[in-house]
């Protein structure tokens, strides 16, 4: 009985350590993948301030995650060592209600949603979209909507198809916005000619 | 005699207005486009949808407001739309017109 308890303790400790390590690595990855604002010339001052605030929060959360990792490992851990802490290999199993289930490896599901991954949307199309003949608000809405949907399309159909879709949508948006200006242009020309 | 100028929903205006009405407070350009795409079974560009939304706003059938910038949208704000009272009137007017023309009888009469 004693032997089984100690074995369970060891398993539980290993699971907790793996969880803390995965959480630290997730935050570290988020910081590494954070958008480089020098690559986004359209970024507004408000967006830059927001990014700076978010990045600060990520750094603070990573520091807390490192402390937690140290506590669970039972010894001081440096930033360089954090990713190399040995955790017993293989999936960690926990027992609940007599049924074995795989332990959640990287924190809660809702925590993972804020992980930033750089977009693979074609930069040439993004550049062209900056010149859409419409209001600034509409332009922001169109670019944002396309970027969001690009992620869904690339998840469902692959990045190649998604990039083609993005380019086509850029072209179609230009065409429809220019076409919508034709009646106004015609009436302006008519007024100008008849003057 | 001057002809009475009553505005009616034309082309894409009706599906876009109906989608904005159905989505309620969550109605933004992207979700409206997806709803219209699904209903019409064809892909419509965001440029076309925003053109229609602009026209609806000019007519006073919808109002718009900008959301907060997010990282996923690379700092671009979301544009939200809400149907106004006159927008609801326009939808009801379109429905009454269809009923007056016997639109609902077409399906029954078809072989």
């Amino acid at each position: 009985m004693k032997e089984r308890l100690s074995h369970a303790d060891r398993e539980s400790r290993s699971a907790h350590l793996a969880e803390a390590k995965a959480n630290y690595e997730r935050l570290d990855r988020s910081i590494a993948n954070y958008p480089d604002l020098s690559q986004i010339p359209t970024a507004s001052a408000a967006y830059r301030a927001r990014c700076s605030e978010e990045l600060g929060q990520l750094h603070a959360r990573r520091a807390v995650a490192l402390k937690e990792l140290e506590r669970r490992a039972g010894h001081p851990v440096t930033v360089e060592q954090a990713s190399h802490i040995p955790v017993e290999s293989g999936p960690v199993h926990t027992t609940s209600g007599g049924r074995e289930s795989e332990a959640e490896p990287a924190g809660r599901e809702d925590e993972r949603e804020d992980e930033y991954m750089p977009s693979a949307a074609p930069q040439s199309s993004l550049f062209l979209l900056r010149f859409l003949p419409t209001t600034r608000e509409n332009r922001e809405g169109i670019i944002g909507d396309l970027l969001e949907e690009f992620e869904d399309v690339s998840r469902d159909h692959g990045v190649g198809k998604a990039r083609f879709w993005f380019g086509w949508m850029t072209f179609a948006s230009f065409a429809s916005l220019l076409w919508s200006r034709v009646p106004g242009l015609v009436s302006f020309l008519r007024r100008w000619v008849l003057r | 005699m001057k002809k009475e100028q009553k505005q009616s929903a034309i082309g894409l205006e009706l599906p876009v207005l109906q989608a904005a009405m159905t989505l309620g407070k969550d109605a933004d350009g992207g979700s409206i486009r997806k709803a219209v795409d699904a209903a019409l079974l064809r892909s419509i560009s965001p440029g076309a949808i925003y053109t229609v939304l602009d026209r609806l706003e000019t007519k006073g059938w919808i109002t718009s407001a900008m959301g907060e910038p997010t990282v996923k949208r690379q700092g671009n704000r979301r544009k939200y739309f809400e149907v106004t009272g006159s927008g609801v009137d326009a939808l009801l007017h379109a429905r009454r017109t269809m009923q007056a023309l016997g639109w609902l009888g077409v399906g029954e009469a078809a072989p």
Side-chain angles (χ1 to χ4, degrees):
Chain A
M1 182 69 181
K2 252 185 185 179
E3 235 176 58
R4 281 182 69 188
L5 271 176
S6 65
H7 178 69
D9 278 348
R10 212 167 43 241
E11 245 191 8
S12 166
R13 187 171 172 274
S14 173
H16 283 132
L17 187 61
E19 193 184 337
K21 187 182 169 190
N23 192 30
Y24 174 84
E25 283 176 344
R26 182 177 64 81
L27 289 164
D28 200 41
R29 213 165 39 242
S30 287
I31 290 168
N33 288 333
Y34 208 78
D36 180 7
L37 289 179
S38 62
Q39 299 294 316
I40 311 174
T42 51
S44 63
Y47 176 57
R48 284 175 197 279
R50 194 182 170 85
C51 280
S52 168
E53 188 187 331
E54 270 185 5
L55 197 56
Q57 283 172 359
L58 279 174
H59 277 288
R61 283 170 63 189
R62 190 179 66 169
V64 171
L66 187 65
K67 290 261 183 225
E68 182 63 18
L69 190 60
E70 278 182 343
R71 194 180 69 77
R72 292 186 184 186
H75 57 80
V77 180
T78 63
V79 174
E80 290 79 24
Q81 292 169 339
S83 298
H84 306 292
I85 286 185
V87 177
E88 278 178 28
S89 57
V92 185
H93 288 79
T94 54
T95 312
S96 56
R99 203 178 130 198
E100 278 202 331
S101 62
E102 205 165 304
E104 186 64 51
R108 292 199 317 271
E109 191 64 37
D110 57 338
E111 275 181 357
R112 271 188 243 164
E113 281 179 6
D114 60 7
E115 188 168 344
Y116 178 80
M117 293 304 287
S119 174
Q123 294 300 312
S124 52
S125 295
L126 277 172
F127 176 77
L128 284 175
L129 284 169
R130 287 163 55 192
F131 303 103
L132 275 177
T134 183
T135 60
R136 186 192 163 92
E137 282 86 13
N138 282 357
R139 207 177 301 128
E140 274 192 47
I142 290 171
I143 298 173
D145 291 345
L146 283 175
L147 282 168
E148 272 193 341
E149 206 166 337
F150 176 80
E151 301 298 324
D152 297 338
V153 176
S154 59
R155 195 169 49 242
D156 295 343
H157 303 287
V159 176
K161 211 164 184 179
R163 286 170 71 88
F164 175 78
W165 171 86
F166 198 95
W168 174 249
M169 280 295 153
T170 302
F171 169 75
S173 291
F174 260 102
S176 56
L177 284 167
L178 286 172
W179 183 249
S180 71
R181 303 228 157 187
V182 169
L185 188 68
V186 167
S187 92
F188 170 76
L189 285 175
R190 193 184 285 168
R191 269 204 309 267
W192 188 71
V193 168
L194 292 176
R195 196 170 57 177
Chain B
M1 190 178 139
K2 198 180 176 187
K3 198 177 169 185
E4 193 189 343
Q5 296 254 323
K6 183 154 180 72
Q7 285 188 325
S8 300
I10 49 163
L12 269 177
E13 288 178 4
L14 198 60
V16 168
L17 192 61
Q18 181 61 60
M21 177 84 184
T22 310
L23 290 163
K25 286 188 174 178
D26 296 329
D28 69 302
S31 56
I32 290 173
R33 195 176 76 81
K34 280 181 190 168
V36 174
D37 275 7
L40 299 183
L41 302 175
R42 67 189 174 104
S43 182
I44 296 161
S45 73
I49 292 288
Y50 275 86
T51 304
V52 175
L53 287 166
D54 262 356
R55 217 157 50 213
L56 294 178
E57 202 169 356
T58 310
K59 287 181 175 179
W61 292 353
I62 56 168
T63 54
S64 67
M66 297 304 286
E68 286 292 307
T70 62
V71 172
K72 199 176 175 187
R73 295 170 68 91
Q74 291 195 6
N76 296 294
R77 292 171 295 169
R78 202 186 285 271
K79 195 171 183 183
Y80 290 99
F81 298 92
E82 199 172 0
V83 179
T84 61
S86 53
V88 176
D89 285 346
L91 277 174
L92 290 172
H93 174 68
R95 185 178 153 185
R96 273 197 299 271
T97 309
M98 289 298 173
Q99 281 174 338
L101 289 168
W103 174 265
L104 297 176
V106 172
E108 290 160 19

